Amino acid sequence: MSTTAPHAAPAKLQLLELLAAIGTAQWRDFATAAARHGLTSTQAKVLAQLNGPLPMRGLATLLVCDASNVTGIVDRLEARGLVRREPDPADRRVKNVVATDEGREVIRRVREEMQATHSALDTLDEAESTALYGLLERLRPTLERRA
Amino acid sequence: MSTTAPHAAPAKLQLLELLAAIGTAQWRDFATAAARHGLTSTQAKVLAQLNGPLPMRGLATLLVCDASNVTGIVDRLEARGLVRREPDPADRRVKNVVATDEGREVIRRVREEMQATHSALDTLDEAESTALYGLLERLRPTLERRA
DNA sequence: GCAGATGTTTGATGACCTCAAGTAACTCGA
DNA sequence: TCGAGTTACTTGAGGTCATCAAACATCTGC
C-alpha cells in the first residue's frame, strides 16, 4: 500500500510471507490428494521418499525426526500393504523399508492428483518455468544447509 | 542426470519436487525458530495469523481445520499469556482471539530468527528477488483457489 | 573378547486433528 | 412474539504424529 511502482523490489518480509503462503498451499494440496487415498500427509511423505530400499534410520534422518517415530508410521503403511520391511543382508540390526508395487502406484497417483499445484505451474510458460527453477535451485542449498 | 544443457526447461515433476523441498525446508526453519520460544509450529502459525482480533471460527477457516481443534490450540496459547479471548460486543456467541503484547513480540522474533530462510533470500540480488516475487505471486492465486 | 556405539522397538506423555454431540445465542418468517 | 433453523464454541472419544527414556540385538574397534 505504500509504494506504487508496479515492479518495485519487494520487502524481504513480503517475500518471506509469500514463500510461506505458497508452501502451505502446496502442502495442503498434497495432503488433500493423499487423503483421497486414505493416507495422512506424513504417510504419503514417507512413501514419497522410498525410491529404493531405505533403513528405518535413514528414513528418520530424511524426515528429521526421532527413529522411534518412524516405527509407527511404517507399521501403518505396512498394514496397508504399501510398504515392506526387509532384513539387511549386511547388517542384521537394520531393516530396509521398500515400497510395494501398490505403494509406488499410490504415491504416483497422489503426485499426479495435486491439481492446484499442477494448474498453478501450468500458468507459467517455458521461460518462466526455467527462471523459477533457477531461482529456487539457488535458494535450496542455503535453505537446507542452515536448517 | 539425463540431459546436460545448463538451462534446459525443467520437467514439471522436477519443478514440483523442488518447490516441495523449498517448502519443507522453510517450514522446518519456522518450526525450529518457534521451538526456541517453546512453541509448536501450529501454535506459532496461529500467532502469525493474529494481526487483529479474530473469532475462533475465523481462525479455523484460515487454518482449514475443524473449529474444535482451535479450542485446544488457543487454550494452550492463552495459558502462556500469548493470546487473549475477548467477548465480541456484537455477538455473544463469538469469542475474539487477540494476541497480547508478549504474543506479538514472540512471533516477531520467530520470524526474525528464521535464519536459513533469511540467508537464502539474501543470496538473491534485487532483480532476482523481484523476479522471484513476481513468479510466486502469479502462482499464488491458482494454488490457493484450487485447494 | 569386550566396551562402546548403532539400529530398532516399546511405553509413556503430550500436541494435533476429526467427528459427534451439547449448549448458548443469533436470525428470520409466520 | 415465538419458535424453527442456523451458527459459534466447547467437550469427549479416538486416532496419528512427535518426543524422550529404556530395552534389546547387533556391529565396531581395540
Side-chain angles (χ1 to χ4, degrees):
Chain A
M1 305 313 172
S2 49
T3 62
T4 49
H7 291 101
K12 207 167 152 191
L13 270 177
Q14 286 181 312
L15 186 46
L16 190 139
E17 199 229 325
L18 181 53
L19 201 53
I22 298 280
T24 4
Q26 203 211 0
W27 178 254
R28 192 146 61 229
D29 195 28
F30 180 66
T32 303
R36 278 195 285 269
H37 295 273
L39 292 178
T40 66
S41 28
T42 306
Q43 289 165 356
K45 192 173 175 179
V46 165
L47 216 42
Q49 309 279 352
L50 290 179
N51 292 342
L54 208 55
M56 302 290 288
R57 193 72 194 73
L59 220 40
T61 301
L62 283 177
L63 301 177
V64 196
C65 75
D66 195 272
S68 66
N69 193 10
V70 179
T71 300
I73 301 171
V74 170
D75 279 350
R76 288 179 281 271
L77 283 173
E78 199 171 26
R80 279 170 182 269
L82 303 178
V83 133
R84 221 175 28 242
R85 278 173 169 97
E86 288 181 350
D88 187 302
D91 187 338
R92 278 183 301 169
R93 293 171 300 178
V94 173
K95 292 174 187 170
N96 287 304
V97 186
V98 193
T100 62
D101 289 346
E102 193 189 343
R104 273 187 294 275
E105 173 63 10
V106 165
I107 191 61
R108 191 190 64 71
R109 277 201 214 165
V110 168
R111 277 196 254 255
E112 139 187 323
E113 290 170 12
M114 294 175 64
Q115 293 203 358
T117 307
H118 287 298
S119 306
L121 292 181
D122 284 343
T123 64
L124 304 183
D125 61 34
E126 193 167 310
E128 291 168 324
S129 290
T130 308
L132 179 60
Y133 193 85
L135 288 167
L136 293 181
E137 214 174 23
R138 292 229 352 237
L139 293 183
R140 184 174 192 171
T142 311
L143 199 46
E144 287 183 344
R145 180 155 359 167
R146 306 241 183 174
Chain B
M1 308 306 179
S2 49
T3 61
T4 50
H7 292 102
K12 206 168 153 192
L13 269 178
Q14 286 181 313
L15 187 46
L16 191 140
E17 200 230 324
L18 180 53
L19 202 54
I22 298 279
T24 1
Q26 204 212 0
W27 178 254
R28 192 147 62 230
D29 194 28
F30 179 67
T32 303
R36 278 196 286 271
H37 295 273
L39 293 178
T40 66
S41 30
T42 307
Q43 288 165 357
K45 191 173 174 179
V46 165
L47 217 41
Q49 307 280 350
L50 288 179
N51 292 342
L54 208 56
M56 303 289 287
R57 195 70 195 76
L59 262 177
T61 303
L62 284 177
L63 302 176
V64 195
C65 75
D66 195 273
S68 65
N69 192 10
V70 179
T71 299
I73 301 170
V74 170
D75 279 350
R76 288 180 281 269
L77 283 173
E78 199 170 26
R80 280 170 182 268
L82 302 178
V83 133
R84 222 175 27 244
R85 278 173 168 99
E86 289 182 348
D88 188 301
D91 187 336
R92 278 180 302 167
R93 292 170 302 178
V94 173
K95 291 174 190 171
N96 287 305
V97 186
V98 192
T100 63
D101 288 348
E102 194 189 343
R104 272 187 294 273
E105 174 62 10
V106 166
I107 191 61
R108 190 189 63 72
R109 277 200 213 164
V110 168
R111 278 196 253 253
E112 137 189 323
E113 289 170 14
M114 294 174 64
Q115 293 203 357
T117 307
H118 287 298
S119 306
L121 292 181
D122 284 343
T123 65
L124 304 183
D125 62 32
E126 194 167 310
E128 291 168 324
S129 290
T130 308
L132 180 59
Y133 193 85
L135 288 167
L136 294 181
E137 213 174 23
R138 291 230 353 236
L139 292 183
R140 183 173 194 171
T142 311
L143 200 46
E144 289 185 342
R145 181 161 13 216
R146 306 241 182 172

